[in-house]
Amino acid sequence: MDRLVDKVAVITGAGSGIGRVAARLFADEGASVVVADIDADQAGEAAAEIAAAGGTAVPVGVDVSDEREVADMVEVAVGRFGGLHVLFNNAGVFPADDGGILDTPPDTWQRVMDVNLKGVWLGCRAAVPAMLASGGGSIVNVASFVALMGAATAQVAYTASKGGVLALTRELAVEYARSGIRANSLCPGPIETPLLSELLADPERRNRRLVHIPIGRFGRPEEIARAALFLASDESSFVTGSALVVDGGITAAYVTPE
Ligand code: NAD
């Protein structure tokens, strides 16, 4: 319970799903956590839960695609907790009308890029100077298994944005490797969170995905949060520029066992 003692962590998208569970886990491991989300009420609830459990957290309402708001988010970490050591760039969107090459509306493409890719860049851009001033840190950017393989159930904007996260993270890792900042991507498989609730509520769409998961079930948010904790903590001190795949075996399989 002490893997993030004396660390200050910013988690985006921390009002729901993976980010919310990670915020609680990081706080349980000793971090002071900035709980950031575009839904300020949800961020407030998540921070209150952490405080009620004896942890340290402050909520921040932020749109990760807004440069000024992202800079302010990092300022909260430095101002309230004295520095920044961990950034978990987890906020993301998965709009229902993101589909194939021909049918995805350009506005949807742009919104997905703004949140999922530009938002990650802006987070890194704001965090790096604060981490350098804090003696180094770890950045964990959430991509997806779809950044590694094509899906017949197309979602081109989402997939392209997550591919961009992998490429951005590699460059970030190399650029700051000798400055004490590590950067890694996390590639979750399908996880039961509000992001997928509509899709997974439809038995046919649910089963179409389930048949591809060798482990035979969808993932749980805590299974991703624990991987993020490993990358965030000093336990992964020689890991940088990598993409950690946590997908129940999807990307390893050609044919999934019955
Ligand atoms: P979720 O919808 O439960 O949580 C996402 C959170 O991000 C929400 O609280 C939402 O309010 C917040 N958010 C959305 N836009 C934002 C913005 N512009 N600024 C700040 N916050 C914003 O989803 P989740 O499943 O927990 O997803 C977390 C991350 O994991 C996302 O990047 C997602 O793409 C990725 N991911 C999820 C799955 C999955 O199956 N659930 C699989 C692979 C990757």
Side-chain angles (χ1 to χ4, degrees), residues 13 15-19 37-39 62-64 90-93 115 142-144 158 162 188-191 193-196:
S16 172
I18 294 165
D37 203 288
I38 198 166
D39 186 330
V62 64
D63 177 350
V64 296
N90 163 79
V93 290
V115 176
V142 179
S144 168
Y158 184 85
K162 296 301 192 180
I191 310 299
T193 72
L195 189 91
L196 291 194

Side-chain angles (χ1 to χ4, degrees), residues 81-223:
F81 302 131
L84 180 65
H85 308 98
V86 173
L87 172 63
F88 184 27
N89 266 321
N90 163 79
V93 290
F94 183 75
D97 61 352
D98 180 10
I101 293 285
L102 301 185
D103 54 18
T104 298
D107 287 352
T108 299
W109 170 277
Q110 194 55 52
R111 179 164 159 255
V112 170
M113 288 296 163
D114 283 349
V115 176
N116 292 9
L117 182 53
K118 184 182 172 200
V120 167
W121 171 57
L122 290 177
C124 298
R125 198 163 184 260
V128 162
M131 283 186 176
L132 292 173
S134 305
S138 174
I139 296 176
V140 183
N141 294 330
V142 179
S144 168
F145 75 101
V146 299
L148 301 168
M149 61 197 309
T153 49
Q155 47 201 8
V156 290
Y158 184 85
T159 298
S161 73
K162 296 301 192 180
V165 169
L166 291 186
L168 168 81
T169 306
R170 283 192 295 264
E171 292 227 339
L172 174 72
V174 174
E175 187 175 354
Y176 288 96
R178 299 204 176 183
S179 308
I181 297 177
R182 297 183 296 108
N184 293 284
S185 303
L186 194 49
C187 296
I191 310 299
E192 302 235 29
T193 72
L195 189 91
L196 291 194
S197 54
E198 194 187 317
L199 192 155
L200 297 183
D202 173 346
E204 195 186 317
R205 295 171 81 200
R206 184 182 178 91
N207 200 44
R208 180 131 192 241
R209 272 107 188 141
L210 193 55
V211 293
H212 293 293
I213 310 175
I215 279 188
R217 64 168 173 82
F218 295 97
R220 297 185 288 267
E222 57 270 25
E223 293 175 310

